[in-house]
Amino acid sequence: MEKKEIKKILKFYKSIYPNSKLSESNLDTVNTWYLMLEDFTYEQVQNAIVKFFKQKNKYMPNLPNIVENIEVPDYTIKKIPPNTVIIQFEDEAYGNFPFRFLNSQDAKEYSKKFQECNYDKESIKILHEEHVRKRNAGVLTYRGEAKARLEQKLQNQNNKGSRRYDKQSSFSW
């Protein structure tokens, strides 16, 4: 989660608990909440506050109460600057799905796709296969062309002169 989202969370919290003394303009509060909640998404924290509220507790939730109510999925998302995202499932059968993007626009486009499929394992696997095929399409074409040029070059070298290259008769004693 980003710091600007922490401010939105604090506003949301204040709208549910108007008697709260927390303020989104207090830099210490924002920094503390950011430090405690940076590993979670905005939606996860918001849902945790709503969940606590629906439990009809008499008291306002503090940070440990909020973290306790956060539902953590069976996957982790790791962002590696500048444009790499790794989605890792706890299930060993699925493992890691690294998505490497050429620019931040592609990364944003795929992050929307991830959210649309609710990080379903099969959907992520399909998205990953699609992503790898799309990303490597140019590389595979280049390799194919390079291989064809190399074969043509070797054939041209073999056709020069009277003696052709033969693996079996390359050394004659």
Side-chain angles (χ1 to χ4, degrees), residues 15 83 92 96 104 124 127 141-142 151 167:
S15 67
N83 296 319
E92 291 180 19
N96 295 334
S104 60
I124 293 292
L127 282 173
T141 302
Y142 173 76
E151 288 173 354
K167 288 184 180 178

Side-chain angles (χ1 to χ4, degrees), residues 12 21 35 51-52 57 64 69 74 101 129 132 155 172:
F12 178 74
K21 295 181 181 175
L35 183 65
K51 183 178 177 182
F52 191 88
N57 290 307
N69 281 301
D74 61 345
F101 303 103
E129 289 171 359
V132 169
Q155 188 176 14
S172 58

